[in-house]
Each structure stands twice: as structure tokens, then as C-alpha cells.
Amino acid sequence: MATIELNHVSKTYSGDVRAVREATLAFRDGEFIVLVGPSGCGKSTLLRMIAGLEAITGGTVAIGGRVVNDLPPKDRDVAMVFQNYALYPHMTVEKNMAFGLLRRRQHSGLSGLLFHGAERRAELAAIDRKVLDTARTLGIEPLLARLPRALSGGQRQRVALGRALVREPQVFLFDEPLSNLDARLRIEMRAEIRELHRRTKASMVYVTHDQEEAMTLADRMVVMKFGVVQQFGTPGECYARPANRFVAGFVGTPVMNFIDGRVDSGVFVSTDMRVLLPAGRWPRMPAGPATLGVRPDQLRVLHSADAGAGNTATDGTSVPATVRAIERLGDRMDVAVLIGGTRLTARIENDDRLMEGGSVLVHIGLGAAHLFAGGEDGARLADAHDGA
Ligand code: ADP
């Protein structure tokens, strides 16, 4: 186990591709960190710089307090699990798992004079035991004699995990390890990796483009875009207090609704609506371009007959709208509504009375709403809930 400290870490590939820009982050001992962001945001590059598989252009990476910039991967005491398993096809599962340990033995320089006979047999027995124990933990003991080609995708991924586990490294690094698996298996393996972390308390850094995977696995997550860290925080913080509009739109499903407009004297005004902002909620808000962000579960869809009830709501505002599309999810439904030219998605309890094309009132709750400075990546404007 170890801390990981990144200090102004940057990576520029040839052709002036700035894959990672000045990442400064400190991961605690035993923390489960997830690097997350859309494809091309630089998360794999950052992970590979920690692993030593990619040269660092600027800044320092320290593992366990030691700067490792110039150390080759094998001397960093990290184990990496990849998306494509990278198992040796001609070796059995057992050999695949033992391989790293055997190789480490050879590299240690003891294999000549000091390491033979009874000592060597004891060492090999210890490796066997460790492989067997790990295989049991992962439920792959019956597969030990098989070759990788005789395994399913999920089984191969377990073997790849097992191979990393037996080495008992200071740090585990995962590069999209579940993206080749089908949805159901992915959720199952996700739970297993989380459980593995709970048991081993090892430091883990995990890369994924899937925000849901990040939210469910991470102690803390690093949200990236275009090589720049947008936010580093717990999943709860990133969800409830997104640093900017990008993070707000990236974290959570369905995606947050954004309404572009401007704020003036405590009123948010867009082309299609005027929303009176709760007094005191955004005390230091400057007048000017702004975006109102409302999650789909903060919207209610009311029938014209219920309109009176909607209007009496003290939190938020109600506006006439047309139902454009309904998606049934079983216990709930997603309803796309059109307010003038503004399309919003509401996630609500099932309501059989709603019909596509019908007229409704949409109540926009402001309890958990956010205001962002104008523009695509506008920063979230601090509100009175912050620090609470
Ligand atoms: P992610 O893992 O978030 O999808 P990457 O770290 O793989 O992103 O890539 C970040 C950026 O760096 C992308 O623009 C990608 O095209 C570029 N990149 C990655 N590897 C190389 C490379 N070996 N040479 C040049 N550019 C690269």
C-alpha cells in the first residue's frame, strides 16, 4: 500500500498533443481512485505515467513518498490490469498467475549460488500456495489447468486480476478492465473489485469512461476533460456540487437539464421562461449570462387539472409544456417535454394519464438546482448550501 502524489504532471505527445496538463493530485494510502472522463481526455495516459509505461514530460510522480519518474515499471511495485487481459496464450491459468512471481525471483539475483535445492523447492511451494489461495478467492480454482483460449471473457478477466493480486503490489492500476465484458458481467465484476479493495485495503487507481462505474467504485474520482482535471472529489461531491457545467453534465443519469439564459436581480430569464430564484440561495451571484442546471428527478409533470396544486408550490416554478416523448423504464418513466423551444427531460413515477403530444405543466424544483456561469464549461456559482 502507498500514497501516490502527482505534482504538475504533464504529457505532451509528438505533434504537440497535450494529453495531460499540470495534474496535481494526492491519493491517500489504500484509497480507491477512479480517473474518469470521455474518450481522449488523457486518463489512460495519466495512469500509464504512474505505471511507468509512458515517459513523463513535466512534473513528478511519487509512490510511497519516492519520486519514480526515472524508475522502470518493474521497480515501481505496481501491478496493472488491462482491458484486453494480456494473458500468455500458451500458458495455463496457473502458470499465467505464477509467472510474475517466478520472474521476480529470477530478477532478484539470488537464483545462482544462494537459491537452489531445498530453498528453491520451498519458494516454489509458497508461490503455488499463493496462486491457489488467490484462485480460490476469485472462484477460478477449477480453471487452473486450462489455457486462456478455453475461458470466457469474465473468466479471463478474473485470471488477469488474479495475476495482479498474487504479486501483492503497493498499487493496483486498472485500465478499463471491464469494458470487454457484457453489461451484466460488468456489474458483477465491479462488485467483486470493490469487495477485493475492501479486503486488501490496497491503493487502487482505476480508469474508465463510464461515469456509473466511477460513481459505484470510487472513494474519490478525478473527472478529466481535454487533459485537464475538472474536479477531484467523492462521487457524492461531484454529483451534488459539480465544479462546473461539464462535470454536472457528465455525472448522473439521465443527464442534467441545462437552460441557457441570464440572471438579473434574483430572476433567471431564458428565451422560454422566467424563474424567480430563492432569496439568499446565491448571495454573491453577479448579474449576467448563466445556465440553470436541473436534474431530471427535480422536474414534476402535472396535468392541467392539477395545475392549481402546481402553482402553489413554494420551491421553483411551473411552466406550460408539451409532452414530446415518453420512455418507460418499468417502475419509472422519462418524459421529454418542450417548453417553447427548450427541451427538458423529467424522470418521474409512472403516470398512465400522460400522452405524447399532450399539454402539461412542468414544475421545475430549485431545491437541488445549480447555476453555472455562462458558456459550455461555466463554473458552478457558489450557493448558500455550500459548506453545509
Ligand atoms: P483516454 O484514456 O482518456 O481515452 P488517452 O490518454 O488515451 O485518453 O489519450 C489522450 C490524448 O492523447 C488523445 O488525444 C490521444 O489521441 C493522444 N494520444 C494517446 N496516446 C498517444 C500516442 N502514443 N501518441 C500521440 N498521441 C497520443
Side-chain angles (χ1 to χ4, degrees):
M1 282 198 279
T3 57
I4 301 174
E5 278 153 17
L6 311 178
N7 205 350
H8 298 283
V9 173
S10 297
K11 174 72 185 185
T12 307
Y13 288 110
S14 60
D16 205 27
V17 179
R18 298 178 65 191
V20 176
R21 304 176 189 217
E22 301 267 337
T24 296
L25 301 159
F27 307 153
R28 298 181 199 119
D29 189 18
E31 220 176 357
F32 199 127
I33 297 291
V34 178
L35 310 180
V36 67
S39 176
C41 72
K43 53 196 184 297
S44 301
T45 299
L46 191 53
L47 189 81
R48 292 169 63 84
M49 285 194 282
I50 298 171
L53 300 172
E54 205 68 74
I56 298 164
T57 320
T60 56
V61 173
I63 299 176
R66 179 173 65 145
V67 173
V68 296
N69 281 42
D70 298 324
L71 281 187
K74 70 178 174 52
D75 297 333
R76 295 190 184 195
D77 205 7
V78 300
M80 188 123 171
V81 181
F82 296 96
Q83 171 180 353
N84 57 11
Y85 328 122
L87 300 178
Y88 298 106
H90 58 286
M91 286 186 194
T92 61
V93 166
E94 184 175 18
K95 289 239 165 60
N96 261 289
M97 287 175 66
F99 187 71
L101 294 177
L102 291 168
R103 201 175 47 173
R104 185 150 64 180
R105 244 305 159 209
Q106 283 160 8
H107 282 160
S108 72
L110 290 171
S111 49
L113 277 178
L114 299 175
F115 188 59
H116 55 229
E119 213 175 327
R120 177 168 174 78
R121 277 197 298 280
E123 188 78 16
L124 291 176
I127 290 176
D128 277 350
R129 248 194 331 273
K130 201 178 267 180
V131 168
L132 194 61
D133 281 351
T134 308
R136 275 198 193 117
T137 307
L138 292 168
I140 52 174
E141 195 189 342
L143 310 176
L144 282 172
R146 287 204 201 165
L147 290 172
R149 67 165 178 272
L151 302 176
S152 71
Q155 290 167 336
R156 278 181 216 172
Q157 195 48 275
R158 280 202 178 85
V159 177
L161 261 180
R163 187 176 48 182
L165 271 178
V166 292
R167 291 178 48 198
E168 297 175 358
Q170 288 201 77
V171 178
F172 288 90
L173 304 173
F174 298 91
D175 194 355
E176 304 245 10
L178 306 184
S179 39
N180 280 348
L181 306 179
D182 66 52
R184 196 171 159 162
L185 196 54
R186 216 158 50 216
I187 291 172
E188 199 179 302
M189 288 295 290
R190 192 161 87 189
E192 282 185 27
I193 289 177
R194 187 71 218 172
E195 166 65 14
L196 208 63
H197 178 255
R198 201 186 54 74
R199 252 185 300 131
T200 59
K201 307 248 184 324
S203 302
M204 296 186 172
V205 185
Y206 187 108
V207 161
T208 179
H209 64 276
D210 178 347
Q211 62 90 23
E212 187 181 298
E213 203 164 285
M215 297 286 279
T216 51
L217 280 173
D219 290 327
R220 288 193 291 168
M221 57 201 259
V222 179
V223 185
M224 298 178 67
K225 180 189 177 187
F226 294 151
V228 179
V229 173
Q230 307 288 313
Q231 187 162 8
F232 178 33
T234 65
E237 283 162 0
C238 294
Y239 183 85
R241 285 201 272 276
N244 56 34
R245 178 173 167 166
F246 171 77
V247 176
F250 187 74
V251 169
T253 45
V255 173
M256 184 184 277
N257 294 293
F258 294 112
I259 307 163
D260 291 323
R262 45 185 303 115
V263 163
D264 213 348
S265 316
V267 182
F268 173 82
V269 184
S270 78
T271 324
D272 298 305
M273 67 190 82
R274 280 173 65 82
V275 182
L276 187 63
L277 301 172
R281 172 79 185 277
W282 287 278
R284 287 180 299 282
M285 186 177 47
T291 300
L292 183 65
V294 187
R295 294 210 184 269
D297 60 4
Q298 297 285 310
L299 296 182
R300 279 159 54 209
V301 181
L302 308 165
H303 300 272
S304 304
D306 305 334
N311 279 334
T312 60
T314 51
D315 155 45
T317 191
S318 295
V319 253
T322 313
V323 176
R324 292 310 301 263
I326 295 175
E327 254 180 50
R328 293 178 195 283
L329 303 167
D331 58 336
R332 280 165 302 165
M333 54 206 268
D334 283 351
V335 183
V337 295
L338 206 55
I339 300 169
T342 305
R343 190 184 171 103
L344 304 178
T345 300
R347 174 159 288 185
I348 59 170
E349 300 283 318
N350 282 337
D351 183 344
D352 290 336
R353 293 181 298 167
L354 286 181
M355 278 183 311
E356 287 171 358
S359 296
V360 289
L361 267 189
V362 171
H363 177 78
I364 303 175
L366 293 182
H370 301 291
L371 271 177
F372 302 94
E376 200 182 318
D377 291 335
R380 176 173 166 276
L381 300 167
D383 69 36
H385 294 183
D386 290 347

